[in-house]
Amino acid sequence: MDANKYRTGSFTLPGEAGYEDLTLKLAKRWGADVIRDSDGTQLSDQIFQSGYDIYSTICLVRADNEWAKANPDKLQQCYLMSQPVVAEGDSVAINLLDSYYKEQFKVNFTDDPKEFWQVFDRTSNTEVPLSDWAYDANAGTVTVKGTQKWHRYTVNFLAYRIWEEISAYNHRTNDWGDREHLMPVDPIHPEVQEHLLKYLERWLQEHEHTRVVRFTSLFYNFFWLWSDDPKRPYIVNDWGAYGFSMSAHAIRLFEMQYGYRLTSEDFVTNGLHNNSYLPPSDKYRDWMEFIHNFVVDFGKKCIELVHKYGKKAYVFYNDHWIGMEPTLERFKDFNFDGIIDGIFNGFEARKVAETPHVQVRELRLHPYFFPTGVNGAPSFIKGGNPTLECQTYWIDIRRALLRAGVDRIGFGGYLHLVENHPDFIAYVERLAQEFRMLKEMHVDDQPYCADFSVAILTAWGNMRAWGCRGHFNRGNFYNEVMESISGLPVKVKFIDFIDIAENGIPGDVKVIINAGMLDDAWSGGWNWQNPTVIERITEWVSQGGSLIGVGEPSALKHSTQYFQLAHLFGVDREIGLSVGFDKYPYQVCGSHFITADVNPDAMDIGDYVDNIYVLGPDTKVIAARSGSPVITEHQFNKGKALYFAGHKYNLENVRLLHRAIFYAAGKTGEFEKWFSSNYHTECAYYPNHRTLVVINNSFEPQATTITTGDGKIIDFKLKPIGASFIEI
Amino acid sequence: MDANKYRTGSFTLPGEAGYEDLTLKLAKRWGADVIRDSDGTQLSDQIFQSGYDIYSTICLVRADNEWAKANPDKLQQCYLMSQPVVAEGDSVAINLLDSYYKEQFKVNFTDDPKEFWQVFDRTSNTEVPLSDWAYDANAGTVTVKGTQKWHRYTVNFLAYRIWEEISAYNHRTNDWGDREHLMPVDPIHPEVQEHLLKYLERWLQEHEHTRVVRFTSLFYNFFWLWSDDPKRPYIVNDWGAYGFSMSAHAIRLFEMQYGYRLTSEDFVTNGLHNNSYLPPSDKYRDWMEFIHNFVVDFGKKCIELVHKYGKKAYVFYNDHWIGMEPTLERFKDFNFDGIIDGIFNGFEARKVAETPHVQVRELRLHPYFFPTGVNGAPSFIKGGNPTLECQTYWIDIRRALLRAGVDRIGFGGYLHLVENHPDFIAYVERLAQEFRMLKEMHVDDQPYCADFSVAILTAWGNMRAWGCRGHFNRGNFYNEVMESISGLPVKVKFIDFIDIAENGIPGDVKVIINAGMLDDAWSGGWNWQNPTVIERITEWVSQGGSLIGVGEPSALKHSTQYFQLAHLFGVDREIGLSVGFDKYPYQVCGSHFITADVNPDAMDIGDYVDNIYVLGPDTKVIAARSGSPVITEHQFNKGKALYFAGHKYNLENVRLLHRAIFYAAGKTGEFEKWFSSNYHTECAYYPNHRTLVVINNSFEPQATTITTGDGKIIDFKLKPIGASFIEI
C-alpha cells in the first residue's frame, strides 16, 4: 500500500486561541480535517475561518452557572454515607461531611432528612428508628441517642454537589486558581429541562461555525467522590456506577413509575454504593432503567434541537455518560451522529468500534494535552515522555483496530503544550497515517476470523460489553482477559445470567469465559445460586460447549462446592474450611497445545488464585505454581472446561488465551490460518483488499512467519512497533 | 548441674518379645524405668521378670473381635455423604460407597434409612422428599426419581465401620498381610458396655505383671475417612472432630435427653462434617456435650475397675480420645492417673503439660519405631534419618518444656527397628538426660515469666487449648502462633466468644490474639456477628487492653467492614468488592521496638494475607510487602491493636511475636528481664533452683548474651542444639 495516500483526514485536532499559527501548522502536519475546542480552551475567528470543520464541546449541566447559583435546590445530588463513628456513650454526634471534600458537597437539608435519610448501627446491622436521631443543619451533624456503647453508627444522607467533577478535575490539574466553580444542575426537574433546552437553542444560534456539537457528555457523571485529605484526593471513582443520578425528586418519580420506594440503603449498600464490582440487584437494575429512560427521553430532545440547526450531535462516551448505555435498545432513540471516547487500551477501542446506531466512531487518544495524566503522572511537563506514552497505548489500541474499525482519531487539551515536543509531533504524524491505512482495511471488508463466537459471562453481560469500571483495571481477571481478547481473531459476545436463564446460550457460541473473584459482578456472585444457570451451562457443556474459567469462576459460598461449576472444571479451591481433607494428587502433564509457544513454568502469569486442587484423576494439570494448579483441563461428556488460576495481559498470555480458545472450541485444526508464529506479532487478513497486515506489538525488531489461510508460509521482519501492509 | 545425676528414670521403653536382649540393653542405656508394649508388639516373660514397671496398652473397642463379629449391629457407625452425582435425566442412581474404602465401611441398612438418611439436591440446596428416593441394600445404591436434570445429588447415610482405623493404619504401615481386621464396637449400647467391662476385668486378671493400663484410648476415634484410591489413601482426618461418635442409637438417646432430633445434615454439614475448622454450631456443641458425658460416665467405670485391681490407668491423648476433653470440668471424673500423648511440637507439649487432674504427664516422642512416619516419609527404613527427625522435634518440644514441665518421656513401636541406628541410640541417651534435668527444674519451681496473661481467642477457646486439628497444621496462623508462643515467657489462656459475651475478659489478660482466616473457627467466623463480643472487646481495648490480629482477625462478610474490629486495628482488607475505592497511602515507619532484632524487609514471614490497607493516617505501618502492610499498629483510646498479615513459626518470627506481646502489653521495660539477645537461643530462670537454662534452638553453634532479672549481663556459647544449666 502507498502510505502517502493516507496523509490527511479522519483526525480531530484540539485548537487553541492565542496559538493560531501552531494550530494551523499542526492541523496540516497531522492531516486534520477537524478542529475542536476543549474544556478550558477557546477557538478564535482565525481558526473558525481556516476552512476546517469545527467541533464544539458543550456540557449542558454545568453550562450556565448563574442559573445554577440562582436555583440551588436544582443542583444534582447524591447519597453519601458518613464515616462510621464509634459510640462511646449513650449518644453520638456525627459530622456528616467528615472526610468528604467540602467544595464538592453540601448537605441537602431541603428535602426532608426524615424522609430520605437513614441512620444505621453498623455493628448490629440494624436501622436506628427515626425518633432516635436528630439533625442540626447549622452544624452539619446528626445526633443519635440511645446508642449502644461501642457500636459503629453511620448516616446515609443526601448531599448537593456544588462543584461539577470534570470541571473541578480540569481546574485542579491546570491550576485554574480562582476561576469560578461550575455547579451541575439536575434535568430531572422540568424547570431545568426547560432552561437547558432554551440555553442550548441560544448556544446553537451563537455557534454558527460549529459543525458538530460534541456533548461531553449528557447529564449524570460517573460516580466520583472526593476527599478532604490531599494525601488521598479521591475516595472512589467508578465509570459505570449510577451514584450521581439520584435525588429526592427522582426517588419520588421512580416510586410513581415502579410502585415501590427505594431507600437510601438501596443506594448506599453498606458503603459500597452499587459500584461496578457488585452484581446488580433487581432494585438497582430498576433504577438504572429508570434513569436510562429519562436520559434518553430528555437527551433526544437536545439532539433534535441540534439537528434542527443543521448540526451533527456527537457524544463523549465518558464523564456524564451515565444513563446513555449504548449497548441497550433505546440508545438508538437518541439519534446521535457520532460517539467519541478517550481511551488507552484495546478493549476500549472495541467498545467504541462496536457502538451501534451512530455514523461516526472516534477515538480520542492519549496523552491528553494536559501537564499530567489521569493518574497524576507527568505527561507534558518535566519527567513526562508523551511519545513513549502514546506509543504504549497505541500498541494496545492498534491490535484491537485490526479486528474492528473506527472512523476517526483525535486528541484533546491545550495544544501549546506539545510545542516543545518535536518527537511527539513527528510520532503523531506517523500514527495518524497508520490509523488511516487500518481504517481503509475495514471499508467493505472484515478481517479473517474464526467461525465461532466466544461469550464472556458476567453479571453485567452486554450492558458492560468491552467495559469494566473505567480505564484498564489491572489485576481484574475479567478486564485482563477482555484486553487480551480485544485483538484476537474471534467473535466476542457479552452475556449475563438473565440471558442464560431466559434464552439459553446462543447457537454460535462455542466457548464461554467466566473470569472474576468471589462475589464480584465479573465472576457473577450470588447469580450462581440460580439452578437454571447451572442446568443450562452444564447441559451445554455436556453437549459439546466449552468453558474457560479464570480466577474464581462461578465461586460462591453455597452448598458442597465453592466453584459452583466444579463438576465441570474438575477443580475447586480450598478456602480454609476443609483443610483436613486430603486433596487428590496430580502430575503436570507434558507438552500441551495450549502451552506450545511458552514455557509454562517460567512465564509471567501475574496474580493468580492459589490453593486450587483437582477433584480426581480425570483432571489434567497443564501448569502449576507452588503446588497449586494454574492451568487445567477437564472433560465433561462432549465438552470441556479449562481453568486458569489467573490471567494478565501480556504477549505470552495473549497467545496462551488464543490457543486456549481454539482448543476449547475444538478448532485446533484452524488455529494456524492467518497465524503469526512469533507471539510478539499479530496479523490480520482482509480478503476483499487481499491485504495482509502484520503488526509488531513490541519495542524491539521482530521476525515472524505468517501461515496464510491455505497454509503458505511468508517470512516477515518488522521494525519496533512497526506494521506491514502487503497485498497477496 | 551434674548431668551424671540424671541418667535414669522417667523413661518408657517399648519392649519387644523376641528381642529381649536388645530391650534390656536399651532400657539400661536410656535409663528406662518402664517397659511397655505397643500395637503389634508383645512383651515376654523375660521382660516381665526384669524388674521394670510394665505398662500395657489396651484399646477396648477393638479388643474382642470375635464378639464384634457376632454382633455386627453393635459396630461403630458414622455418617458419610455419597460423592455428588450429576443427574443426566429424571432419575439418578447413586453408589453410596463410591470412592470410600470398602474395607473401612459397610452401609448400615439395619437402622431404617428412611429415618436416618437424607438425600439432597446440592445444586438447589434442597432436600429430596423421602418419597422420591429408594435404596437397594443388595446393590448398595440409592435411586432418586424426579431429579432435575444436571443438578448434583448426594445421600447422607449411616455406615458401619468394619475396620478400626488405628489398627488398620498400623496394619498397612507394617504390612501385616492377612492378619485379621479388627472391628470397633460401640459402647453406646448397654450390651457393649456390659461386654467391655467383663472383658476388661478378665484382661486385668490376666495381666498380673501390668502396673499401668495404658488406654489407647477410650471409645471413639478422631474422624478419619479413608478412600479406595491408593493415590489419595485418606479423604479426611481431624483429631478434634466427633464424626465417629454417632449412630442411630446415640441419635435417639440424644433426642430423649435434649428434646430435639439431630438430622444427618447436622452432622454432614455440606460434606464438611463439623470439622475443627468450622466454628461449632450450638447443635454440634450439644452433641459434643452429650458424647462427652457418655464417655466420662462409661470411662470412669472402666477406670474404677482398673483401680480395683490395684493398677494405674493412663490414657493416650489421641486416637480414640473423642469425648474425653481434658480441658472440660468433667474430665476429673474419669480419675485417670496419667495422660500420654505422641507429639512433635511445642504446642503439643504444652497441651500435655497443662492437662489437669492427673498425676503423670508423659510425652511419647517421635519418630515412632515404625518403618515410616505419619506422613508416609521414611523413618527407620532406607532414606530416613531418625536422629535428625528426633532432634528436629526435640528443639521445638524443649522450648515448651522450658516453660511447663511434664513427668515422663518415652517411645513406641518396634524396638528392633532402632538396632542398626547407633547414632539414634546415642542421641536418645543424651536427650533423656537433658529431659530429666529440665524436669528437675520444674520441681517446686516455676520459671520467671511475665506478670500478665495473653489470651488466644478462637471459636473453640479452652476446649482446644494448645490444640488445633491434630499435629502441626503448617500455614494455619492460629497453629503457627500457638507453636511460637509455646516457648515464650508469658502466661497463655484460650478463650472463646461465649466466654467474652458471658464473662468478659479476665482481669489478668493484657493481650488478646486472634489469628485465622475468614469464616474459620480460629478467626471466629459468624461469632463476629455478635454485637456483645464487639462491645466487650472494644471497651476493653479502649480502657487499655491490646489486640494482636494475625491473618484475617475478626473477618466476616457483614456490614460495612470486613475485619469486624477494623475500627481497632486501623486496617482492613480489600476483598475485591471495593476496588474502585482509593486506599489511604502510608509510609513504612523507621525502626520499631517490635522489629528491633530482625530485618523486616528480608525476614521470612511465610504466607501472608495481601490487599491490606490502612484506614487513615493514624495507622502506623511497621512493615509491608509488595505494597500491602504486613505489620501495623493502631491506638484506640488507651489500648492498641497490632496487625500481622501472617505468622510462621521460625526463630525470627518467635522473636517478633515475643516483642509484639510485650509491646502490646505496655511492658517494654520488662522485656529484657532474663532475656537472650540472640534469637536462635532462649533462656529461662528458675528462682528456687537459682538456675539459668539457656538453649540453642538451632543446628549451628551460637553465642548470646543473657540479661538477668536485675540487668546483669552474662555471655554464653552454646553447641548446636545445646543446652546450658548454670546456677547463679
Side-chain angles (χ1 to χ4, degrees):
Chain A
M1 285 174 76
D2 179 3
N4 278 319
K5 287 195 203 155
Y6 299 92
R7 301 190 62 87
T8 60
S10 309
F11 192 100
T12 302
L13 178 90
E16 189 174 357
Y19 297 89
E20 284 78 4
D21 288 352
L22 179 70
T23 301
L24 299 177
K25 191 184 94 186
L26 286 180
K28 190 159 180 218
R29 179 141 183 208
W30 289 349
D33 51 352
V34 164
I35 297 180
R36 60 167 287 205
D37 59 4
S38 304
D39 186 33
T41 67
Q42 285 80 43
L43 303 183
S44 58
D45 279 347
Q46 193 186 339
I47 294 170
F48 291 143
Q49 318 294 333
S50 61
Y52 289 96
D53 273 355
I54 300 299
Y55 289 8
S56 300
T57 54
I58 186 166
C59 178
L60 282 173
V61 296
R62 69 173 180 231
D64 187 349
N65 218 36
E66 291 311 309
W67 198 89
K69 280 189 279 186
N71 295 276
D73 62 328
K74 303 292 185 299
L75 292 181
Q76 294 197 7
Q77 307 182 13
C78 67
Y79 268 117
L80 297 178
M81 183 182 87
S82 65
Q83 289 305 300
V85 177
V86 175
E88 305 210 1
D90 61 2
S91 80
V92 70
I94 297 173
N95 194 331
L96 295 167
L97 282 182
D98 191 26
S99 94
Y100 291 105
Y101 187 45
K102 309 299 180 292
E103 303 195 52
Q104 187 186 13
F105 302 109
K106 184 168 175 285
V107 180
N108 173 0
F109 290 102
T110 315
D111 296 299
D112 183 9
K114 293 282 180 171
E115 180 180 354
F116 290 101
W117 299 10
Q118 287 174 291
V119 177
F120 283 92
D121 174 340
R122 296 292 185 181
T123 301
S124 65
N125 232 358
T126 50
E127 187 180 349
V128 174
L130 289 183
S131 53
D132 281 358
W133 56 271
Y135 60 93
D136 178 336
N138 289 324
T141 56
V142 158
T143 302
V144 189
K145 66 179 185 186
T147 50
Q148 194 71 38
K149 201 174 174 187
W150 307 117
H151 285 215
R152 287 170 290 116
Y153 291 86
T154 65
V155 183
N156 297 339
F157 61 99
L158 281 174
Y160 288 116
R161 299 197 349 270
I162 54 173
W163 196 2
E164 190 282 314
E165 289 74 16
I166 301 300
S167 176
Y169 171 78
N170 292 343
H171 194 290
R172 291 222 295 212
T173 305
N174 295 291
D175 288 327
W176 285 347
D178 56 4
R179 201 188 283 190
E180 189 176 56
H181 294 189
L182 303 182
M183 299 194 290
V185 294
D186 191 341
I188 199 78
H189 304 284
E191 303 90 319
V192 174
Q193 292 166 34
E194 196 184 333
H195 174 70
L196 294 187
L197 288 172
K198 241 185 268 171
Y199 179 92
L200 176 60
E201 184 144 27
R202 198 172 60 235
W203 186 94
L204 290 166
Q205 289 159 353
E206 285 169 357
H207 284 70
E208 51 175 328
H209 304 289
T210 298
R211 218 190 125 247
V212 171
V213 179
R214 192 180 157 108
F215 286 97
T216 63
S217 337
L218 293 173
F219 316 123
Y220 300 115
N221 206 77
F222 61 80
F223 189 56
W224 197 3
L225 305 183
W226 295 26
S227 104
D228 65 350
D229 187 333
K231 286 194 178 163
R232 181 197 47 167
Y234 309 119
I235 294 171
V236 56
N237 83 77
D238 191 317
W239 169 83
Y242 275 51
F244 278 177
S245 65
M246 75 271 295
S247 59
H249 187 62
I251 287 168
R252 290 195 181 111
L253 284 181
F254 176 93
E255 187 180 7
M256 291 197 303
Q257 282 183 35
Y258 285 77
Y260 71 95
R261 180 79 171 240
L262 287 170
T263 66
S264 72
E265 187 62 9
D266 289 328
F267 295 103
V268 168
T269 57
N270 282 322
L272 294 172
H273 290 279
N274 289 306
N275 78 74
S276 296
Y277 276 67
L278 296 187
S281 65
D282 290 346
K283 284 180 180 177
Y284 184 54
R285 282 192 194 274
D286 281 351
W287 180 261
M288 293 175 87
E289 180 185 70
F290 165 74
I291 292 295
H292 176 54
N293 281 328
F294 166 70
V295 167
V296 174
D297 291 342
F298 181 56
K300 67 190 281 198
K301 290 185 191 158
C302 299
I303 293 147
E304 275 164 15
L305 209 53
V306 170
H307 288 160
K308 180 178 142 194
Y309 283 84
K311 302 178 194 301
K312 303 267 184 194
Y314 287 13
V315 68
F316 190 53
Y317 199 163
N318 216 310
D319 297 355
H320 302 76
W321 82 287
I322 290 300
M324 195 164 95
E325 301 297 349
T327 65
L328 299 188
E329 190 95 349
R330 288 206 67 200
F331 177 70
K332 69 172 182 303
D333 296 348
F334 281 113
N335 227 350
F336 279 121
D337 300 289
I339 197 160
I340 303 154
D341 197 8
I343 71 159
F344 298 86
N345 298 102
F347 76 91
E348 296 173 293
R350 291 293 290 267
K351 189 184 74 179
V352 175
E354 294 179 18
T355 302
H357 313 304
V358 289
Q359 298 292 316
V360 176
R361 295 163 187 85
E362 177 172 326
L363 303 182
R364 200 203 68 216
L365 301 179
H366 284 95
Y368 203 74
F369 302 164
F370 266 4
T372 57
V374 285
N375 54 4
S379 271
F380 286 94
I381 52 169
K382 203 174 159 193
N385 185 342
T387 308
L388 179 64
E389 257 194 272
C390 192
Q391 290 169 330
T392 305
Y393 307 143
W394 182 243
I395 285 177
D396 296 342
I397 292 166
R398 184 178 61 180
R399 55 185 296 271
L401 295 183
L402 220 56
R403 308 300 163 196
V406 298
D407 305 288
R408 308 183 51 81
I409 56 171
F411 285 90
Y414 290 96
L415 190 64
H416 75 271
L417 288 173
V418 311
E419 202 167 9
N420 296 319
H421 293 276
D423 57 329
F424 179 76
I425 293 171
Y427 178 66
V428 170
E429 184 183 357
R430 291 200 300 280
L431 181 158
Q433 215 168 351
E434 197 172 275
F435 166 71
R436 294 182 193 103
M437 292 168 74
L438 275 173
K439 176 186 171 185
E440 172 74 19
M441 290 296 101
H442 291 280
V443 175
D444 298 327
D445 208 352
Q446 285 191 331
Y448 172 83
C449 181
D451 65 353
F452 59 89
S453 293
V454 177
I456 301 183
L457 170 62
T458 68
W460 289 112
N462 196 50
M463 198 166 179
R464 290 289 171 273
W466 301 113
C468 179
R469 197 205 93 220
H471 303 302
F472 200 164
N473 267 216
R474 277 284 180 179
N476 173 311
F477 295 139
Y478 160 71
N479 206 152
E480 300 274 356
V481 164
M482 191 161 55
E483 181 64 9
S484 290
I485 211 171
S486 72
L488 289 181
V490 292
K491 282 170 258 171
V492 181
K493 297 189 168 183
F494 292 81
I495 60 175
D496 63 33
F497 295 89
I498 300 168
D499 294 335
I500 289 184
E502 292 183 358
N503 311 313
I505 293 147
D508 59 333
V509 171
K510 282 264 179 284
V511 179
I512 292 177
I513 299 179
N514 181 237
M517 296 297 284
L518 175 68
D519 291 343
D520 75 18
W522 321 113
S523 172
W526 49 262
N527 289 285
W528 289 108
Q529 270 185 123
N530 182 348
T532 311
V533 169
I534 307 291
E535 290 160 25
R536 291 278 170 101
I537 294 177
T538 304
E539 175 153 279
W540 177 79
V541 173
S542 175
Q543 293 173 354
S546 286
L547 296 173
I548 297 179
V550 183
E552 297 194 315
S554 75
L556 188 68
K557 289 204 169 187
H558 170 74
S559 191
T560 54
Q561 53 197 34
Y562 178 61
F563 293 167
Q564 298 307 308
L565 300 181
H567 55 292
L568 304 180
F569 287 116
V571 298
D572 209 340
R573 187 177 189 195
E574 170 59 62
I575 51 163
L577 299 181
S578 53
V579 172
F581 289 68
D582 285 5
K583 307 308 185 289
Y584 204 86
Y586 64 85
Q587 290 205 304
V588 177
C589 72
S591 60
H592 194 284
F593 179 84
I594 292 176
T595 48
D597 301 323
V598 298
N599 176 348
D601 296 327
M603 61 182 299
D604 174 13
I605 58 171
D607 293 339
Y608 63 90
V609 164
D610 60 4
N611 293 315
I612 295 297
Y613 60 92
V614 304
L615 298 187
D618 298 337
T619 305
K620 186 185 282 188
V621 176
I622 300 168
R625 287 277 195 287
S626 307
S628 188
V630 293
I631 309 177
T632 66
E633 173 187 352
H634 184 253
Q635 193 80 23
F636 182 81
N637 294 340
K638 294 187 195 153
K640 53 169 75 79
L642 302 175
Y643 172 74
F644 288 78
H647 184 81
K648 172 186 177 175
Y649 169 66
N650 65 29
L651 300 177
E652 274 181 310
N653 288 321
V654 165
R655 175 58 59 88
L656 203 67
L657 184 65
H658 187 181
R659 286 186 166 272
I661 288 169
F662 276 72
Y663 182 78
K667 301 280 187 177
T668 55
E670 291 170 42
F671 178 69
E672 294 207 358
K673 280 190 183 171
W674 299 109
F675 169 76
S676 184
S677 63
N678 176 343
Y679 62 66
H680 299 93
T681 70
E682 288 175 301
C683 72
Y685 178 68
Y686 302 84
N688 296 344
H689 292 77
R690 298 178 170 277
T691 300
L692 171 66
V693 182
V694 190
I695 55 174
N696 177 358
N697 295 329
S698 78
F699 285 91
E700 287 81 44
Q702 299 288 349
T704 188
T705 302
I706 306 295
T707 308
T708 69
D710 50 4
K712 290 205 198 81
I713 292 285
I714 313 174
D715 288 326
F716 273 85
K717 281 197 192 325
L718 291 148
K719 289 185 191 156
I721 335 177
S724 260
F725 293 72
I726 64 156
E727 287 178 51
I728 53 175
Chain B
M1 283 175 78
D2 180 3
N4 278 319
K5 287 194 199 155
Y6 299 93
R7 300 189 65 87
T8 60
S10 310
F11 190 100
T12 303
L13 178 90
E16 189 173 358
Y19 297 90
E20 285 76 4
D21 288 351
L22 178 69
T23 301
L24 299 177
K25 190 183 95 185
L26 286 181
K28 188 159 181 221
R29 177 137 184 213
W30 290 347
D33 51 351
V34 163
I35 297 179
R36 60 167 286 204
D37 58 5
S38 304
D39 187 32
T41 67
Q42 285 79 42
L43 303 182
S44 58
D45 279 346
Q46 191 184 340
I47 294 170
F48 291 141
Q49 318 294 334
S50 61
Y52 289 96
D53 272 356
I54 300 297
Y55 290 8
S56 300
T57 56
I58 186 166
C59 178
L60 281 173
V61 294
R62 70 173 181 232
D64 187 349
N65 217 36
E66 291 311 310
W67 198 88
K69 280 189 279 188
N71 295 275
D73 62 329
K74 302 293 185 300
L75 292 181
Q76 294 196 7
Q77 307 182 11
C78 67
Y79 268 116
L80 297 178
M81 182 183 86
S82 66
Q83 288 305 299
V85 176
V86 175
E88 305 210 1
D90 61 3
S91 78
V92 71
I94 296 172
N95 194 330
L96 294 168
L97 282 182
D98 190 26
S99 94
Y100 290 104
Y101 187 46
K102 310 299 181 292
E103 304 194 55
Q104 186 186 13
F105 303 109
K106 185 169 176 282
V107 180
N108 172 1
F109 291 101
T110 315
D111 295 299
D112 183 10
K114 293 282 182 172
E115 180 180 352
F116 291 100
W117 301 10
Q118 287 173 293
V119 178
F120 283 92
D121 175 341
R122 295 293 186 180
T123 301
S124 64
N125 231 358
T126 51
E127 186 177 350
V128 174
L130 290 181
S131 53
D132 281 358
W133 57 270
Y135 59 92
D136 178 336
N138 291 323
T141 56
V142 159
T143 302
V144 189
K145 69 179 183 187
T147 51
Q148 193 71 38
K149 203 174 174 187
W150 306 118
H151 286 214
R152 287 170 289 117
Y153 291 86
T154 64
V155 183
N156 296 339
F157 61 98
L158 280 173
Y160 289 117
R161 302 205 337 276
I162 56 174
W163 198 0
E164 190 282 314
E165 289 74 18
I166 300 301
S167 176
Y169 171 80
N170 292 341
H171 193 289
R172 291 223 293 212
T173 304
N174 296 293
D175 287 326
W176 285 347
D178 56 5
R179 199 188 286 191
E180 188 176 57
H181 293 187
L182 305 182
M183 299 195 290
V185 293
D186 190 342
I188 198 76
H189 303 284
E191 305 89 321
V192 176
Q193 293 166 34
E194 194 184 335
H195 173 71
L196 294 186
L197 287 172
K198 239 184 268 170
Y199 178 91
L200 176 61
E201 183 144 26
R202 198 171 58 238
W203 186 94
L204 290 165
Q205 288 159 354
E206 285 168 359
H207 284 70
E208 51 176 325
H209 303 289
T210 298
R211 214 190 127 248
V212 171
V213 180
R214 191 181 160 107
F215 287 97
T216 63
S217 337
L218 293 173
F219 317 123
Y220 300 116
N221 206 76
F222 61 81
F223 190 57
W224 196 3
L225 305 183
W226 294 27
S227 106
D228 65 351
D229 187 333
K231 286 194 179 163
R232 180 197 46 166
Y234 310 118
I235 294 171
V236 56
N237 84 76
D238 190 318
W239 169 82
Y242 276 51
F244 278 179
S245 64
M246 77 269 298
S247 61
H249 187 62
I251 287 169
R252 289 194 183 112
L253 284 182
F254 176 92
E255 187 180 7
M256 292 198 301
Q257 282 183 35
Y258 286 77
Y260 72 95
R261 181 80 172 236
L262 287 170
T263 67
S264 73
E265 186 62 9
D266 289 328
F267 294 103
V268 168
T269 57
N270 282 320
L272 293 173
H273 291 280
N274 289 308
N275 77 74
S276 296
Y277 276 66
L278 296 188
S281 65
D282 290 345
K283 284 180 178 176
Y284 183 54
R285 281 191 194 274
D286 281 352
W287 180 262
M288 294 175 87
E289 180 186 73
F290 165 75
I291 292 296
H292 175 55
N293 281 329
F294 167 70
V295 168
V296 174
D297 290 342
F298 181 56
K300 67 191 278 198
K301 290 184 191 158
C302 299
I303 293 145
E304 275 164 14
L305 211 53
V306 171
H307 288 161
K308 180 178 140 192
Y309 282 85
K311 302 180 195 298
K312 303 263 183 195
Y314 288 12
V315 69
F316 190 52
Y317 198 164
N318 215 310
D319 295 356
H320 303 75
W321 81 286
I322 290 298
M324 196 164 95
E325 301 298 350
T327 65
L328 300 188
E329 190 96 345
R330 287 206 66 198
F331 177 71
K332 70 173 183 301
D333 296 348
F334 281 114
N335 227 348
F336 279 122
D337 301 289
I339 197 158
I340 303 154
D341 196 7
I343 71 158
F344 297 86
N345 298 100
F347 76 91
E348 297 173 294
R350 291 292 291 265
K351 189 184 73 178
V352 176
E354 294 178 18
T355 302
H357 313 304
V358 289
Q359 298 292 315
V360 176
R361 295 163 187 84
E362 176 171 327
L363 303 182
R364 201 203 68 215
L365 301 179
H366 284 94
Y368 204 75
F369 302 163
F370 266 5
T372 56
V374 284
N375 55 3
S379 272
F380 285 93
I381 52 170
K382 206 177 158 190
N385 184 342
T387 308
L388 179 63
E389 258 194 271
C390 193
Q391 289 170 329
T392 305
Y393 308 140
W394 181 244
I395 285 177
D396 296 342
I397 293 166
R398 184 180 57 180
R399 56 185 294 274
L401 295 183
L402 219 56
R403 308 300 164 196
V406 298
D407 304 289
R408 305 183 55 81
I409 57 173
F411 286 89
Y414 290 96
L415 191 64
H416 74 270
L417 288 173
V418 311
E419 199 166 12
N420 296 320
H421 293 275
D423 56 332
F424 179 77
I425 293 170
Y427 178 67
V428 170
E429 185 183 356
R430 289 199 301 280
L431 181 159
Q433 212 167 354
E434 196 171 276
F435 166 72
R436 293 180 195 106
M437 292 167 76
L438 275 174
K439 176 185 169 185
E440 170 74 20
M441 290 297 101
H442 291 279
V443 175
D444 299 328
D445 209 352
Q446 285 191 329
Y448 173 82
C449 183
D451 65 354
F452 59 89
S453 292
V454 176
I456 300 183
L457 171 63
T458 70
W460 288 111
N462 196 49
M463 198 165 178
R464 289 291 170 270
W466 301 112
C468 180
R469 196 206 95 221
H471 303 302
F472 200 165
N473 267 218
R474 275 283 180 181
N476 172 311
F477 295 139
Y478 160 70
N479 207 154
E480 299 275 356
V481 165
M482 193 162 53
E483 182 63 9
S484 290
I485 211 171
S486 71
L488 289 181
V490 291
K491 283 169 253 169
V492 181
K493 300 193 163 177
F494 291 81
I495 60 174
D496 63 31
F497 296 89
I498 300 168
D499 294 333
I500 288 184
E502 292 183 357
N503 311 313
I505 293 146
D508 59 332
V509 171
K510 282 263 179 284
V511 179
I512 293 177
I513 298 179
N514 181 237
M517 295 296 283
L518 175 67
D519 291 344
D520 76 16
W522 321 115
S523 173
W526 49 262
N527 289 287
W528 289 109
Q529 271 185 123
N530 183 348
T532 310
V533 170
I534 307 291
E535 290 159 27
R536 291 277 170 103
I537 294 177
T538 304
E539 174 154 280
W540 177 79
V541 172
S542 176
Q543 292 173 352
S546 287
L547 295 173
I548 296 179
V550 182
E552 297 194 315
S554 75
L556 188 68
K557 289 202 170 188
H558 170 73
S559 192
T560 53
Q561 54 197 32
Y562 179 61
F563 293 166
Q564 298 306 309
L565 299 181
H567 55 292
L568 304 181
F569 286 117
V571 299
D572 209 340
R573 188 178 188 195
E574 170 59 62
I575 53 165
L577 299 181
S578 52
V579 172
F581 290 67
D582 285 4
K583 306 309 186 288
Y584 204 86
Y586 63 85
Q587 289 205 306
V588 177
C589 71
S591 60
H592 193 285
F593 179 83
I594 293 176
T595 49
D597 300 323
V598 299
N599 176 347
D601 297 327
M603 61 183 297
D604 174 12
I605 58 170
D607 294 339
Y608 64 91
V609 164
D610 60 4
N611 292 316
I612 295 298
Y613 60 92
V614 303
L615 298 188
D618 297 337
T619 306
K620 186 185 281 187
V621 176
I622 300 169
R625 286 277 194 286
S626 307
S628 189
V630 294
I631 309 177
T632 66
E633 173 187 354
H634 183 253
Q635 191 80 23
F636 182 81
N637 294 340
K638 293 189 197 152
K640 53 169 75 80
L642 301 175
Y643 172 74
F644 287 78
H647 184 82
K648 172 185 178 178
Y649 169 65
N650 65 29
L651 301 179
E652 272 181 311
N653 288 322
V654 165
R655 175 57 59 87
L656 204 66
L657 184 65
H658 188 180
R659 283 186 169 273
I661 289 169
F662 276 72
Y663 183 76
K667 301 278 187 177
T668 54
E670 290 170 40
F671 179 69
E672 294 206 359
K673 279 190 182 169
W674 300 110
F675 169 78
S676 183
S677 62
N678 177 342
Y679 62 66
H680 299 93
T681 69
E682 288 175 302
C683 71
Y685 178 67
Y686 302 85
N688 296 344
H689 292 76
R690 297 178 169 275
T691 301
L692 171 66
V693 182
V694 189
I695 55 174
N696 177 358
N697 295 329
S698 78
F699 285 91
E700 287 80 45
Q702 299 289 349
T704 189
T705 302
I706 306 295
T707 308
T708 67
D710 49 4
K712 288 201 199 85
I713 293 286
I714 312 174
D715 288 326
F716 272 85
K717 282 195 193 321
L718 291 148
K719 289 184 191 159
I721 335 177
S724 261
F725 294 71
I726 63 155
E727 287 178 51
I728 54 177

